[in-house]
Amino acid sequence: MTPTGESGSSLIGHVFERRYVLDSPLGGGDESREPTSWRASDEVLARPVVMRIAPGTRAGTKLHECASAYGSVRQASLAPVLDTVKEGSRGLRGVVREWVDGVPLLTALTESGLRREESVTLVRAIAEALQCLEAEWRELEQG
């Protein structure tokens, strides 16, 4: 359910800031209580993006704080934050990130034929990205 009590499918096609159109949900979750991820289209630049949408003030504020920390990290392994959005009529806030085509990590590590050295390099890059995010998050919490 959405914050207005509608079914989740009612958000498909919803437009944020006359630019981002929600195409399809990327995972389960209760849209009225927790952030959800969506594949969306950036109509201005004609490209796919990922939107993380949060209902309500508290969840939306937390999402924007996380986006701030995430957006300040410069790490090649992370898709960059492109924008943040607010939807006053539905009480939604969102973060827009670059859409990256790829395969799930487990698939990349087990089924793609990566050599051991390539797997180690990939996991190391992800660990470094997570370490950067953790450091930024701790700084945000303390500051």
Side-chain angles (χ1 to χ4, degrees):
M1 301 291 269
T2 66
T4 58
E6 302 162 353
S7 68
S9 63
S10 71
L11 286 178
I12 293 174
H14 185 75
V15 180
F16 283 83
E17 298 186 1
R18 295 184 286 170
R19 178 175 189 163
Y20 303 108
V21 180
L22 295 182
D23 297 327
S24 60
L26 294 174
D30 183 347
E31 295 169 6
S32 67
R33 297 182 199 183
E34 58 193 25
T36 53
S37 294
W38 291 78
R39 181 174 175 133
S41 300
D42 178 343
E43 297 295 303
V44 172
L45 297 177
R47 64 179 175 178
V49 294
V50 172
M51 289 188 67
R52 184 86 169 147
I53 306 296
T57 304
R58 185 170 179 245
T61 299
K62 181 88 166 169
L63 181 67
H64 277 243
E65 288 174 355
C66 290
S68 175
Y70 181 95
S72 67
V73 175
R74 300 294 174 238
Q75 176 72 22
S77 303
L78 297 173
V81 170
L82 303 174
D83 202 357
T84 59
V85 296
K86 291 181 184 177
E87 178 62 68
S89 65
R90 292 188 183 222
L92 302 172
R93 296 180 104 186
V95 174
V96 181
R97 290 182 297 136
E98 181 179 328
W99 176 266
V100 178
D101 284 319
V103 297
L105 179 59
L106 184 58
T107 302
L109 294 175
T110 60
E111 299 175 17
S112 68
L114 286 176
R115 293 188 322 263
R116 184 177 189 279
E117 301 81 32
E118 293 170 320
S119 295
V120 169
T121 300
L122 178 61
V123 170
R124 181 176 291 138
I126 293 167
E128 289 172 1
L130 291 173
Q131 186 177 26
C132 288
L133 286 172
E134 179 187 24
E136 287 292 327
W137 181 250
R138 286 186 191 278
E139 185 176 312
L140 184 66
E141 284 183 327
Q142 294 171 358

